[in-house]
Amino acid sequence: MLENLFASRIDIKTKSRLVGLFPDNNFADNISFGGGCPDEQLFPAKELTAAYQDAVCRQMNHAFQYHDIKGPERLREYLAARAQAKMGISKVTADDVMLTAGGQQGIELVAKLFIGKGDAMAVEAPSYVGALAAFDAYEPTYYQIGMENDGVNIDQFESILKKHPEIKLFYTVPDFHNPTGVTMSLKKRERLVELANKYDFVILEDTPYRDLRYHGQDLPSIKSFDTEGRVIFLSSFSKILTPAFRLGWLVASPEIKEQLTNLKLAEDLEVPYIPSATVDSYIANNDLDQHIEDLKDLYRAKLDTMYRALKQNLPAGTKVSHPEGGFFFWIELDPEIDTTSLLWKQSVPDQHLIYVPSESFYPNRDIKNGMRVNFTGSTIKQINDGCRRLRAVIDSAEISLPELSLAI
Ligand SMILES: Cc1ncc(COP(=O)(O)O)c(C=O)c1O
């Protein structure tokens, strides 16, 4: 009844990309290849509890007070040093680092800063569903750039830029892309910055999976090639430590960081003290890099298991990505298969298996024959069992294909 009072940008007719993404799967033998969940067995619960106690005890009552928008200085110094050592970004100081409520808030703030109704932005197609949900709210005109095995199709991007020089923002997940798992080549990273300088746009480089490489060599970040302060480097503690503290961080040029900070002030006033001080204390008293190595050992085994199991179980000719890190594989099925209806009608009720259908990852939700499968949140046994179930799901879809075509 009050809908006519909502802001005009609120689209009540279109379902949010993030709501109802996963059907209930309450069966005793359920398997979820759905969300991008870390393996909770490896959360360092004991060390984080000690860090929480340390964070509170250092300040006692003051710990529960309002704090400032910057967050702990020592944590930002650590992240500045990490950005230089591991991301190849030169001359970063604690003042260049901004803490955010997860990487998700970083994306949302960048959308708010750069996108107004109808403004042109480019995204990889497919792209991270949560980023599209954040962008959707600011009503961009999307330009979609296809993905290749070594990252975004840069030639296609340049021809789109020639036709649409009004594009102001490009969002990319260059390392172990969500959802495809692909990593952008070094050459493309350099070329992207050249394009940004030439066609005057900003790049949001979103890297929550960057530290989780299980095979191959690390590559420098896109930000490391930035000559004009056009690249915003965004990362998060969610996948390498815990998502529960909602702590992300970004490195941006002073003019961009100042505006993002103003927007964050208006959104939530501060970086919550207790989560940020807990992470600060954890890092000061533990070896985060060793923890990441432990994660990598486990996730490497899971990735290799899932790759083998997918190859064994998927019908010949099915396209499946082969990531070197991160959390996801991407599968492309026969163009006539609709993976959304397959999920709700067959995969969950018959096989008790969840995956994420491809339509969520496209601005227009129009590509239906793909799926993202996560391997980090399942056990090795669940990965093997789940891939066998996936085979049964796909077989059932293929059996009903002629019927489907007739119905069309
Ligand atoms: C590519 C990408 N960016 C950002 C996020 C948001 O993560 P968080 O807000 O937990 O840091 C995710 C979470 O899955 C992601 O996959």
Side-chain angles (χ1 to χ4, degrees):
M1 202 177 80
L2 298 176
E3 290 157 10
N4 58 340
L5 301 180
F6 293 169
S8 61
R9 67 175 183 284
I10 303 298
D11 177 1
I12 52 164
K13 293 200 190 80
T14 311
K15 207 172 92 187
S16 162
R17 291 173 195 275
L18 295 176
V19 174
L21 202 55
F22 307 115
D24 287 340
N25 189 13
N26 299 326
F27 304 97
D29 65 342
N30 78 74
I31 295 180
S32 177
F33 292 163
C37 292
D39 185 332
E40 60 186 60
Q41 299 303 318
L42 289 193
F43 290 141
K46 209 169 88 212
E47 291 81 358
L48 286 171
T49 306
Y52 169 85
Q53 277 170 346
D54 177 52
V56 171
C57 289
R58 264 186 289 138
Q59 300 242 351
M60 291 314 289
N61 277 24
H62 189 57
F64 300 96
Q65 187 53 280
Y66 282 114
H67 285 76
D68 71 8
I69 188 78
K70 286 186 175 171
E73 172 96 16
R74 184 174 62 174
L75 178 59
R76 286 181 294 110
E77 277 167 5
Y78 168 84
L79 291 170
R82 194 172 180 86
Q84 301 200 61
K86 295 202 180 284
M87 325 301 171
I89 307 173
S90 57
K91 295 194 211 118
V92 191
T93 69
D95 282 344
D96 302 314
V97 175
M98 174 175 170
L99 299 176
T100 57
Q104 189 65 29
Q105 187 183 42
I107 299 170
E108 202 274 334
L109 292 172
V110 169
K112 198 182 259 182
L113 181 58
F114 288 98
I115 302 299
K117 187 177 168 67
D119 284 350
M121 73 169 295
V123 291
E124 290 158 329
S127 205
Y128 163 53
V129 56
L132 293 176
F135 298 137
D136 284 349
Y138 295 95
E139 303 174 281
T141 299
Y142 286 112
Y143 291 93
Q144 304 182 54
I145 324 293
M147 291 296 282
E148 299 175 309
N149 288 340
D150 61 346
V152 69
N153 183 336
I154 207 106
D155 292 328
Q156 185 195 16
F157 192 13
E158 179 150 30
S159 34
I160 290 177
L161 284 164
K162 279 184 188 149
K163 281 195 222 126
H164 298 283
E166 71 276 16
I167 289 175
K168 352 157 110 175
L169 177 65
F170 174 54
Y171 170 73
T172 176
V173 181
D175 304 290
F176 324 119
H177 181 245
N178 181 355
T180 65
V182 158
T183 292
M184 191 185 290
S185 67
L186 183 68
K187 233 168 114 199
K188 286 190 173 178
R189 290 169 193 242
E190 286 182 282
R191 186 126 175 256
L192 203 51
V193 173
E194 283 163 21
L195 290 183
N197 290 346
K198 184 168 168 193
Y199 292 96
D200 189 24
F201 62 91
V202 165
I203 299 169
L204 174 55
E205 177 183 20
D206 184 14
T207 71
Y209 305 100
R210 185 180 161 82
D211 292 306
L212 297 170
R213 174 180 275 284
Y214 320 127
H215 297 290
Q217 297 295 314
D218 284 341
L219 292 173
S221 63
I222 299 171
K223 175 81 178 153
S224 70
F225 300 107
D226 188 11
T227 49
E228 299 184 357
R230 290 178 177 279
V231 183
I232 301 164
F233 177 88
L234 176 65
S235 193
S236 170
F237 286 101
S238 289
K239 313 292 178 176
I240 56 168
L241 190 58
T242 165
F245 292 136
R246 310 306 305 129
L247 199 61
W249 58 287
L250 61 82
V251 177
S253 68
E255 65 177 324
I256 291 178
K257 203 198 117 202
E258 182 185 347
Q259 294 311 322
L260 292 175
T261 305
N262 292 344
L263 292 172
K264 180 170 166 60
L265 274 166
E267 258 177 36
D268 54 3
L269 296 179
E270 65 171 72
V271 173
Y273 172 79
I274 293 179
S276 57
T278 300
V279 172
D280 173 51
S281 169
Y282 171 85
I283 287 170
N285 295 301
N286 297 274
D287 186 347
L288 176 62
D289 286 323
Q290 183 53 52
H291 174 64
I292 293 173
E293 287 306 315
D294 296 344
L295 292 178
K296 282 163 65 173
D297 286 344
L298 180 67
Y299 291 164
R300 182 181 303 110
K302 292 188 178 192
L303 176 132
D304 293 347
T305 301
M306 185 171 260
Y307 188 64
R308 269 195 308 273
L310 288 174
K311 283 280 163 194
Q312 274 163 14
N313 286 288
L314 292 177
T318 307
K319 277 201 209 152
V320 50
S321 60
H322 194 181
E324 294 186 320
F327 273 34
F328 309 110
F329 285 88
W330 181 249
I331 299 169
E332 280 174 31
L333 302 175
D334 185 299
E336 303 212 36
I337 294 178
D338 176 341
T339 54
T340 303
S341 99
L342 199 60
L343 174 71
W344 294 81
K345 294 193 182 140
Q346 268 136 323
S347 193
V348 173
D350 296 349
Q351 297 295 331
H352 310 171
L353 175 71
I354 290 188
Y355 56 81
V356 188
S358 56
E359 64 171 32
S360 309
F361 301 102
Y362 289 89
N364 302 328
R365 309 181 202 215
D366 51 353
I367 308 284
K368 309 271 189 191
N369 65 319
M371 61 173 70
R372 187 192 79 179
V373 288
N374 164 268
F375 56 88
T376 53
S378 301
T379 62
I380 298 271
K381 181 174 181 324
Q382 285 171 328
I383 291 172
N384 282 317
D385 290 351
C387 288
R388 279 192 289 273
R389 294 186 198 181
L390 192 57
R391 169 82 208 213
V393 171
I394 294 170
D395 283 351
S396 67
E398 292 194 330
I399 289 164
S400 54
L401 266 186
E403 211 182 299
L404 274 179
S405 334
L406 275 181
I408 289 162

